[in-house]
Amino acid sequence: MAIFREKPYTGINFVVDLGNGDEFGPESGLCEVVFPEARVQMLDYRNGNDKESQPRKLQTLTRYGNLLLRRGVIGSLLWYQWWNALRNQDIKATRTITVKLLNEDRSEVVLIWKFLQARPVNYQVSPLNALGLEPLIESLEVAFDRFEME
């Protein structure tokens, strides 16, 4: 699925499916997606009888940071309800979140990220400010078990 080219893509054309099959509805319209760090942890290991004095590296765990999603407050309770379901121990509250990067004219998907077994761990709304002009933003921080790219 990934479409390679020499010129980098811009990060302004994207769609997000929050696991409900809706990419273009108002509840899926995000202003920002902050991708997590993905890291394979390594362990130094050396046998006592090794002829070399330096340790070798052994792969241990793969760790991921959390995915951060942001959108303007539109009066939807979808994010809160998902977070609330997890808070109330609903084990079926996991989803697969799909982020698709589009080309400049939005006619073609050029890269896909899939976050498997995703579940919200933090829900937050920006402060109300009577002197500000910024839109009210809600944020959803999502933990997941694994991610894949296509």
Side-chain angles (χ1 to χ4, degrees), residues 82-100:
W82 185 25
W83 176 84
N84 191 45
L86 195 75
R87 172 178 67 167
N88 292 324
Q89 307 298 319
D90 182 355
I91 58 173
K92 298 177 188 172
T94 62
R95 301 180 183 177
T96 296
I97 295 176
T98 305
V99 179
K100 297 179 182 177

Side-chain angles (χ1 to χ4, degrees), residues 101-117:
L101 180 66
L102 307 174
N103 63 2
E104 285 80 359
D105 65 2
R106 302 178 61 85
S107 64
E108 191 171 20
V109 175
V110 297
L111 198 54
I112 297 175
W113 292 266
K114 289 184 179 181
F115 299 90
L116 310 175
Q117 294 293 96

Side-chain angles (χ1 to χ4, degrees), residues 29-47:
L30 304 183
C31 62
E32 186 176 31
V33 174
V34 180
F35 290 108
E37 178 182 50
R39 176 180 298 274
V40 175
Q41 290 185 290
M42 302 302 280
L43 173 71
D44 287 340
Y45 179 80
R46 182 182 173 280
N47 287 330

Side-chain angles (χ1 to χ4, degrees), residues 9-136:
Y9 292 102
T10 62
I12 62 172
N13 296 310
F14 60 92
V15 293
V16 178
D17 176 356
L18 297 171
N20 57 5
D22 183 15
E23 295 177 347
F24 297 101
E27 292 182 329
S28 297
L30 304 183
C31 62
E32 186 176 31
V33 174
V34 180
F35 290 108
E37 178 182 50
R39 176 180 298 274
V40 175
Q41 290 185 290
M42 302 302 280
L43 173 71
D44 287 340
Y45 179 80
R46 182 182 173 280
N47 287 330
N49 62 352
D50 282 349
K51 295 184 191 237
E52 300 287 329
S53 61
Q54 71 272 1
R56 62 182 148 224
K57 301 285 186 185
L58 299 177
Q59 177 180 335
T60 61
L61 300 174
T62 302
R63 296 208 184 262
Y64 304 106
N66 291 336
L67 176 68
L68 183 57
L69 308 172
R70 291 191 178 114
R71 71 177 181 189
V73 173
I74 59 171
S76 169
L77 295 177
L78 181 72
W79 285 10
Y80 170 77
Q81 289 168 343
W82 185 25
W83 176 84
N84 191 45
L86 195 75
R87 172 178 67 167
N88 292 324
Q89 307 298 319
D90 182 355
I91 58 173
K92 298 177 188 172
T94 62
R95 301 180 183 177
T96 296
I97 295 176
T98 305
V99 179
K100 297 179 182 177
L101 180 66
L102 307 174
N103 63 2
E104 285 80 359
D105 65 2
R106 302 178 61 85
S107 64
E108 191 171 20
V109 175
V110 297
L111 198 54
I112 297 175
W113 292 266
K114 289 184 179 181
F115 299 90
L116 310 175
Q117 294 293 96
R119 52 216 172 268
V121 294
N122 185 15
Y123 174 77
Q124 186 174 356
V125 178
S126 63
L128 299 172
N129 181 352
L131 298 176
L133 298 174
E134 301 84 22
L136 193 59

